[in-house]
Amino acid sequence: MRTRETELQVISVLLDLFILNLAIVILSWLEVGFFFIRPLDLYICLLQANFSWVLAYAFITKKVLYVHKGYTYRLKRMNQRMAVFFVIEIIVYLPTSGVIPDLWLFIIQYSILFYIIKLTSSYWYYKQIYKQRAKSLTVKRTLLMGSHPNIHNVRQIIEANPILRFAFVGYVSDDNAHTKILGKCDRFEEIVIQHNIEAVFTPVNDDE
C-alpha cells in the first residue's frame, strides 16, 4: 500500500501543476486586471509558480491517504498547502518585484483561480469515486486477516480512501476482536469463494 501511496503522490503533484499552469495561462489569455503582461513576464510567472508549488510539497509532504471519512479533512489539508504555497510565492516574487512591480496582483488572481479549480475538481472526483465504490464499480472486494491492531487501521484507510479502489467485505479471524467477522481462518478458502474476494490483507508477524 505504501508503493501505491507514492504513485498517488506523484500523480497528484503532476495534476496540481497542470491545474496551476492552466490557471495562469487562462488569466494571461483573458488579460484580467493585468493588461501589460509580456511573454517574458509570463515565463517568469510560470517558473516562480511551479517552483513555489514544488517547494510547498517539500516543506509539507502531501499525504493522499486518510484515516477519517468525509471531505472536511481533505479540505483542511488543501487549505494548509495553499496557505504555504501563497507565502512561498510572495517570498519568491520579492527578488523580481523591481523588474515586474505589479506581478503581485496577477499572483493573487491566478492563486485564487487555481484554488477554485482545484477545490471544484477535487470535490467532484471525491464524489465520483465514492459513487463507484458504492456501486461496486472498478473496486476489489477485500478481506482482512487476523486480529492484529494494524488490521483495523487498514480497514480505516480502505474505507476513508476510495481512490485505492478497495471495498472492505469483512474479517477472517479465530477470535471476536472485530465486528463483521465472516468466519475463522480454517474456512479461508470457502469464505474467499463465497464472498467473491479479490484482495486479501494480512498483518506481518501476526501470531495467528
Side-chain angles (χ1 to χ4, degrees):
M1 188 173 291
R2 184 171 298 177
T3 301
R4 176 60 173 162
E5 182 177 11
T6 301
E7 293 175 356
L8 292 174
Q9 285 177 334
V10 173
I11 294 173
S12 181
V13 171
L14 294 177
L15 286 176
D16 286 346
L17 289 175
F18 172 78
I19 295 173
L20 175 60
N21 286 279
L22 179 64
I24 295 174
V25 171
I26 289 175
L27 283 180
S28 65
W29 180 65
L30 295 176
E31 296 183 336
V32 178
F34 198 69
F35 298 99
F36 59 92
I37 192 168
R38 301 166 297 176
L40 179 60
D41 298 337
L42 178 60
Y43 297 148
I44 294 175
C45 190
L46 287 169
L47 180 62
Q48 290 178 338
N50 284 268
F51 176 75
S52 298
W53 190 250
V54 172
L55 199 60
Y57 268 83
F59 279 110
I60 301 180
T61 303
K62 178 180 174 63
K63 294 185 179 297
V64 295
L65 298 184
Y66 300 82
V67 294
H68 300 284
K69 295 181 181 179
Y71 192 74
T72 304
Y73 297 95
R74 292 157 173 78
L75 181 61
K76 181 180 179 180
R77 288 188 181 181
M78 186 186 304
N79 290 339
Q80 290 174 342
R81 288 192 297 271
M82 286 298 300
V84 173
F85 166 65
F86 187 74
V87 171
I88 295 176
E89 268 192 311
I90 298 300
I91 294 175
V92 172
Y93 161 68
L94 289 177
T96 61
S97 59
V99 181
I100 318 175
D102 295 324
L103 188 61
W104 64 270
L105 177 61
F106 189 56
I107 291 176
I108 294 175
Q109 289 176 334
Y110 74 67
S111 296
I112 293 174
L113 181 59
F114 171 49
Y115 178 76
I116 293 173
I117 296 175
K118 180 173 172 55
L119 179 63
T120 303
S121 59
S122 175
Y123 185 74
W124 177 84
Y125 183 67
Y126 169 81
K127 286 296 185 181
Q128 291 302 311
I129 56 180
Y130 260 104
K131 288 180 180 178
Q132 288 184 1
R133 189 169 70 176
K135 297 178 181 179
S136 297
L137 299 174
T138 65
V139 296
K140 294 182 178 180
R141 295 173 59 80
T142 303
L143 188 68
L144 303 182
M145 294 285 296
S147 59
H148 195 283
N150 288 339
I151 281 295
H152 179 66
N153 295 335
V154 172
R155 177 181 179 179
Q156 286 184 305
I157 292 174
I158 288 174
E159 293 183 337
N161 297 273
I163 192 173
L164 295 174
R165 302 191 183 280
F166 291 113
F168 171 72
V169 177
Y171 295 97
V172 170
S173 179
D174 288 334
D175 55 41
N176 296 321
H178 303 291
T179 58
K180 206 171 183 179
I181 294 178
L182 303 179
K184 295 186 176 182
C185 294
D186 57 3
R187 295 184 54 236
F188 173 73
E189 292 185 11
E190 175 187 345
I191 293 171
V192 168
I193 296 174
Q194 180 182 353
H195 294 274
N196 192 26
I197 301 299
E198 300 172 278
V200 177
F201 285 93
T202 181
V204 179
N205 295 328
D206 191 9
D207 293 330
E208 295 191 353

